[in-house]
Amino acid sequence: MIFNKQNLMNFTENDRELSSQVLIMASEDIPEFLNGVKTAIKKNSAPEAAEFFHKIKGIAGSIGAEDIHNLSAEMESSLKEMDRMQNLNDKIENLSSLIQDFFTNDAVLELIK
């Protein structure tokens, strides 16, 4: 699910203005953390990449970005358990696409305005 609005509303206690502010902050932070993942991978630092995935996962869970949350959790877990960075490029591209889809979703854009 791209956007579970109810998760966001629960997190913000149904405060539309707060929901908007949280989404705006997330639209800035998540791409920044994804860039952190990419940098960590270039440095071959699995723990650092896992830390950025953890941050993305936490924000995504709070804002109702379920697909982003699930993929980030999977990637964080695989890095922590296996300390492996192989085959991440395809998943990172998928995550990047999910982030783009989330922040261009009509229901999300409606709340940001």
Side-chain angles (χ1 to χ4, degrees), residues 2 27 30-31 34 65 68 92-106 108-109:
I2 289 178
S27 73
I30 289 178
L34 182 60
I68 296 169
I92 289 172
E93 287 303 317
N94 189 20
L95 181 60
S96 183
S97 178
L98 289 173
I99 291 167
Q100 178 68 25
D101 291 347
F102 179 83
F103 288 110
T104 58
N105 180 278
D106 289 340
V108 172
L109 291 173

Side-chain angles (χ1 to χ4, degrees), residues 14-91:
N14 293 314
D15 184 328
R16 183 174 165 78
E17 185 176 330
L18 179 58
S19 296
S20 177
Q21 292 171 353
V22 168
L23 285 171
I24 290 168
M25 287 189 309
S27 73
E28 296 167 356
D29 291 344
I30 289 178
E32 181 180 321
F33 295 149
L34 182 60
N35 285 334
V37 166
K38 293 174 182 178
T39 300
I41 289 170
K42 287 179 184 175
K43 296 188 310 188
N44 204 29
S45 176
E48 187 177 345
E51 183 179 323
F52 281 111
F53 282 128
H54 181 79
K55 291 176 181 183
I56 294 169
K57 176 185 76 173
I59 294 170
S62 298
I63 63 172
E66 290 184 356
D67 292 341
I68 296 169
H69 177 269
N70 294 338
L71 185 55
S72 297
E74 176 187 324
M75 295 168 79
E76 175 193 13
S77 178
S78 69
L79 283 174
K80 284 183 175 179
E81 291 174 9
M82 299 179 285
D83 193 32
R84 292 176 51 194
M85 297 180 55
Q86 299 171 346
N87 303 319
L88 281 182
N89 288 334
D90 289 340
K91 288 187 177 185

